[in-house]
Amino acid sequence: MATITTRRPHYRDNLPAIEADLAEGADRLRMLVAPPGQSGQGLTSEALREIVLIYSNAASTFAYLEGSQRFDDYQHLLGWHETYFHDRDLSAATEKALAAAGPFTAHDLEELRLTWLAWFADRRHAPEQARRRQAELGADMRAILRQMDARQLEFLQRVHITSPGTSPSVALAEAASRLKEQATRTKLTTAWRRHSAPDIAALTNVLDEAVEVRRKAAREGAGGHPTVLAQTFEGCSVSPAEATSFLQEFLTHALESQRELESAIRTATGCTQYPMDHFGRYLRTRMSGRRAPTFRLQALLDLLCTLARRVLGVTVIAAPAQHAHALTFRVGRAGEELGSIDFDLLRPGAPSRRPASPPSTAKSRTPAPVRAKAHVLCPLQPDDEADHVTFAAAQAIFHEFGHALTHVLFSRRMPSESGIEYLPLDRLECASTWWERWVYHPDFAGALDLTGQAQEALALAQQLRALETWSTTLQCTVAAAVDLDVHGRSEGGHREAFERLSQKYSLGDHCAFGDLPGYFTHLTWQAAPGAGFLYFWGAASSAETFQRYRTVRVADLPAKGRPDELTQLWLDPNLPSPRPPVSPYFEFLRDVVDAGPMEVARP
């Protein structure tokens, strides 16, 4: 079944605060890069570090907003993206200030200055027409996704399915899981596919055109790359051949795992074709009316702070003044405050939009120096459990905390418009996937002060989430393989790449092309075309790294090992990225599933 992220926003009131941060950062940047006669100071080493931090904060903010667009209508903030990354006057002033500042005597600062100068020069010479066309195609993708949501909602209404506060695809899956007759579920999902087919085709056409624009830009741009893949892998520490080999091994394991799960679904539901369309029904019959639990957000945050201190030596302390829309934590290390993380509180409600106040261009005071700032989304439960989150939300919070903490701790900030190039791309998900594994740790229940039935409910939630991850692993792996293949060629589109892959691996009804286009619209896939493998590279690496932590009590941390091992892995861009073994990823899922209270009836 196609899994397309909804673009219908929910009410949240942190966007004005985010805009205020963007506005203050832009004002501070203009002050720092102003000619010496206007600002009264030259570009010092401290100013250089702050300039690159301001750009890094902006890139990270928009990466966060893009990843949260299911909940945020942030279109009115895109003008700030233009200000930071496409305002010619501001870019020229920044480049000029960097050029006049050097050389710095400190090697690391001079290398940083030259790296950013080269980035600005490359952007200045980049074909403007290609950039604008790519931006137009990105807007076309978002428009098609919004249209798809609207059309799918119309379909659900015609068949009397409601979808309050959730995406159409989730509403459909929930409704299908309640249908006892296998034939009725098949009719419903078949009708859904037919209804979605025109929008999937339209989205695929736009995605294919975007590939052609990238191919032309790669050939004609700086470096004259033969393929888009060759250009993308300049940001990786592994070669395309190594990534391809890894992904093929991962796909082989994922296909074997998928067949195992499909066999269990067939046995439980009696379905004959497209077993994954009946996955929801399979879970419902296994749960036997048991309800998934929720967890106190404060307990989760306490555990995050404890782990950060014990594993990394990092203090994460709540700020005294808290806003209604967020919980703010200050991050420090060795007595130095490095920045802050806002845990943005999403409260369910009717879609709404809160207008942002226009930024003032005339400031009566000098903008204060900027520190690192990151965000983590916290989707809260309805009013009766306003301070609780689901297990899936808890896992997402831990995952996003890994990204946020990395942003705050990072010291050597590389140029990036997308917010994902601070490390070699293959290392991008190593920290975040390591952090999310703590929600499966044996001490997780104790950290949340769960006892008795609550502990069993947690085990059920862990089991359900692991099964959900299991159910989508093949689909996402196939999408990554298609992404890598299509950007490694000089012609052809996504559907042709899928057909080649389907024939090679006999995908059959294990995965349909219509399930894939939504993946290709996501931030990482658009910003690093061809590097869709990076999530599984990071997940496999973290599964291996986390193995020794599974048997260590939280009270006994830090675990024995090389001091600062994880910080080096996550924050040193010059470290090699050894190919991780694939099996720990799948073994981890199986262990969680087998430890749960639900009878999964695996063959």
Side-chain angles (χ1 to χ4, degrees):
M1 185 181 301
T3 305
I4 303 295
T5 302
T6 180
R7 297 306 193 265
R8 293 180 297 123
H10 288 235
Y11 175 74
R12 199 175 78 180
D13 62 356
N14 70 311
L15 291 182
I18 289 178
E19 180 168 33
D21 287 342
L22 291 169
E24 290 176 11
D27 287 337
R28 179 70 178 174
L29 178 61
R30 290 188 182 97
M31 189 203 77
L32 290 171
V33 302
Q38 297 179 28
S39 67
Q41 65 179 40
L43 191 60
T44 63
S45 59
E46 291 77 11
L48 171 64
R49 291 191 180 95
E50 190 176 352
I51 286 171
V52 301
L53 173 58
I54 289 170
Y55 275 104
S56 180
N57 274 351
S60 175
T61 296
F62 281 102
Y64 166 73
L65 291 172
E66 170 74 13
S68 305
Q69 63 177 294
R70 174 181 171 188
F71 308 104
D72 268 331
D73 183 358
Y74 71 99
Q75 299 303 303
H76 62 292
L77 298 184
L78 292 179
W80 288 108
H81 190 276
E82 287 291 314
T83 296
Y84 278 96
F85 298 106
H86 300 294
D87 184 301
R88 292 187 178 184
D89 292 339
L90 183 56
S91 294
T94 305
E95 186 178 4
K96 186 176 181 179
L98 292 172
F104 288 99
T105 55
H107 174 73
D108 60 331
L109 285 176
E110 180 62 9
E111 184 182 31
L112 184 66
R113 184 184 75 90
L114 294 176
T115 298
W116 279 78
L117 268 177
W119 184 66
F120 277 106
D122 286 346
R123 293 173 64 78
R124 180 161 37 83
H125 292 108
E128 180 65 15
Q129 184 177 3
R131 184 192 76 80
R132 291 189 179 278
R133 185 56 186 149
Q134 287 174 341
E136 291 170 354
L137 290 169
D140 289 345
M141 291 177 201
R142 290 190 290 272
I144 292 172
L145 288 168
R146 287 193 295 270
Q147 172 183 295
M148 187 180 299
D149 268 353
R151 284 171 47 80
Q152 288 175 342
L153 282 172
E154 292 173 2
F155 172 86
L156 295 178
Q157 290 168 359
R158 286 206 303 270
V159 295
H160 308 293
I161 296 174
T162 58
S163 58
T166 189
S167 68
S169 56
V170 171
L172 177 79
E174 173 67 18
S177 73
R178 297 181 183 277
L179 299 174
K180 295 181 179 181
E181 295 296 327
Q182 177 262 330
T184 308
R185 291 194 301 275
T186 298
K187 288 180 181 178
L188 177 62
T189 54
T190 300
W192 170 273
R193 278 197 173 88
R194 288 174 179 168
H195 185 81
S196 302
D199 290 324
I200 293 293
L203 182 58
T204 302
N205 288 337
V206 174
L207 289 165
D208 285 347
E209 185 176 352
V211 170
E212 290 301 329
V213 172
R214 293 192 198 106
R215 285 169 176 162
K216 187 173 187 292
R219 291 192 302 268
E220 298 177 1
H225 299 91
T227 64
V228 177
L229 197 66
Q231 185 177 45
T232 293
F233 269 75
E234 286 189 343
C236 293
S237 65
V238 299
S239 67
E242 184 71 12
T244 301
S245 175
F246 168 81
L247 202 53
Q248 288 174 344
E249 181 185 2
F250 202 99
L251 180 54
T252 299
H253 279 72
L255 188 56
E256 177 185 346
S257 179
Q258 181 86 348
R259 290 189 178 114
E260 184 179 345
L261 180 59
E262 288 176 352
S263 178
I265 294 171
R266 286 191 179 96
T267 301
T269 67
C271 67
T272 56
Q273 289 184 316
Y274 301 110
M276 300 315 298
D277 286 353
H278 307 271
F279 177 69
R281 182 61 185 175
Y282 166 73
L283 289 185
R284 183 174 291 278
T285 58
R286 300 298 95 186
M287 288 181 68
S288 302
R290 285 175 287 197
R291 184 182 177 186
T294 59
F295 309 96
R296 286 193 310 114
L297 176 62
Q298 187 59 55
L300 297 174
L301 299 183
D302 288 346
L303 178 57
L304 283 174
C305 295
T306 299
L307 291 173
R309 184 180 71 254
R310 289 182 174 273
V311 176
L312 301 177
V314 171
T315 58
V316 182
I317 302 173
Q322 300 286 347
H323 301 290
H325 66 267
L327 299 174
T328 299
F329 286 79
R330 293 173 179 168
V331 180
R333 197 173 197 181
E336 179 186 5
E337 185 175 337
L338 302 175
S340 62
I341 299 175
D342 274 6
F343 288 80
D344 295 325
L345 307 178
L346 167 68
R347 299 188 184 279
S352 177
R353 177 156 175 179
R354 183 167 175 166
S357 56
S360 173
T361 56
K363 296 292 182 181
S364 59
R365 60 180 178 81
T366 301
V370 170
R371 291 186 182 273
K373 180 71 172 287
H375 294 264
V376 175
L377 184 69
C378 296
L380 300 175
Q381 287 300 98
D383 291 339
D384 59 337
E385 293 183 301
D387 62 341
H388 282 59
V389 299
T390 65
F391 182 80
Q395 183 178 358
I397 288 169
F398 273 65
H399 181 102
E400 295 306 322
F401 178 74
H403 285 304
L405 191 60
T406 300
H407 171 70
V408 173
L409 294 179
F410 214 78
S411 58
R412 186 172 181 268
R413 301 187 180 276
M414 303 300 290
S416 172
E417 180 177 343
S418 67
I420 67 170
E421 291 97 344
Y422 52 84
L423 278 172
L425 291 171
D426 41 284
R427 302 249 300 283
L428 183 64
E429 295 289 349
C430 288
S432 57
T433 53
W434 185 89
W435 277 100
E436 74 174 60
R437 294 186 188 282
W438 280 97
V439 300
Y440 299 100
H441 190 275
D443 268 6
F444 188 68
L448 301 187
D449 197 25
L450 302 180
T451 58
Q453 292 182 340
Q455 285 194 358
E456 182 176 337
L458 170 62
L460 174 64
Q462 292 169 329
Q463 188 179 33
L464 286 171
R465 190 62 179 165
L467 280 168
E468 289 169 354
T469 302
W470 191 334
S471 73
T472 59
T473 292
L474 176 66
Q475 189 178 98
C476 190
T477 310
V478 170
V482 169
D483 176 57
L484 189 147
D485 180 76
V486 76
H487 288 103
R489 297 176 182 269
S490 57
E491 60 182 11
H494 290 84
R495 190 176 290 274
E496 293 92 335
F498 172 77
E499 293 300 332
R500 284 190 294 270
L501 198 71
S502 182
Q503 291 179 11
K504 179 177 180 180
Y505 289 94
S506 302
L507 293 179
D509 62 0
H510 301 299
C511 180
F513 177 76
D515 299 335
L516 307 182
Y519 288 102
F520 305 132
T521 67
H522 292 175
L523 166 69
T524 304
W525 304 67
Q526 289 293 309
F533 78 97
L534 62 85
Y535 174 79
F536 290 117
W537 185 284
S541 174
S542 67
E544 179 189 27
T545 305
F546 194 75
Q547 281 180 327
R548 65 188 176 93
Y549 287 89
R550 294 178 71 181
T551 58
V552 177
R553 303 298 303 269
V554 170
D556 295 333
L557 290 171
K560 293 181 179 179
R562 190 159 53 118
D564 224 18
E565 174 189 16
L566 293 175
T567 302
Q568 292 181 42
L569 174 66
W570 299 336
L571 301 179
D572 187 345
N574 299 314
L575 269 183
S577 295
R579 175 172 170 169
V582 167
S583 56
Y585 173 91
F586 294 93
E587 290 168 359
F588 186 92
L589 289 178
R590 283 185 169 85
D591 288 347
V592 174
V593 169
D594 290 344
M598 185 171 61
E599 175 56 53
V600 297
R602 288 200 292 117

